[in-house]
Amino acid sequence: MKIIISIYDSVKNPYYGGGGAISVHEVARRLCGTYSVTVLAGAYPGCRNELIDGVYYQYVGISWTGPKLG
């Protein structure tokens, strides 16, 4: 089974990286032992789709607009 969580922020986002991103990451990390978990996050300059603590982060949007659009 696969779980997809959508959030604008990300734990590695240098412009935001706030409490919401940390909370979502902790929940996703705990679920990834049983499920395949993907977090859809807003793109920021220099981001790459990656696996962090067993959670796959997929970045969507245009990376150069990150904090400007926000």
Side-chain angles (χ1 to χ4, degrees):
M1 185 182 275
K2 187 171 190 172
I3 296 174
I4 299 173
I5 302 171
S6 177
I7 182 171
Y8 180 79
D9 203 357
S10 167
V11 290
K12 289 189 172 181
N13 188 328
Y15 303 102
Y16 301 107
I22 293 169
S23 297
V24 166
H25 180 74
E26 287 301 313
V27 169
R29 186 179 60 81
R30 290 181 173 106
L31 289 171
C32 73
T34 307
Y35 305 100
S36 172
V37 182
T38 298
V39 174
L40 294 178
Y44 59 87
C47 69
R48 295 175 200 205
N49 294 343
E50 62 184 321
L51 195 64
I52 303 173
D53 297 332
V55 180
Y56 182 68
Y57 278 80
Q58 183 173 352
Y59 297 96
V60 295
I62 302 169
S63 64
W64 59 267
T65 63
K68 295 174 188 164
L69 184 61

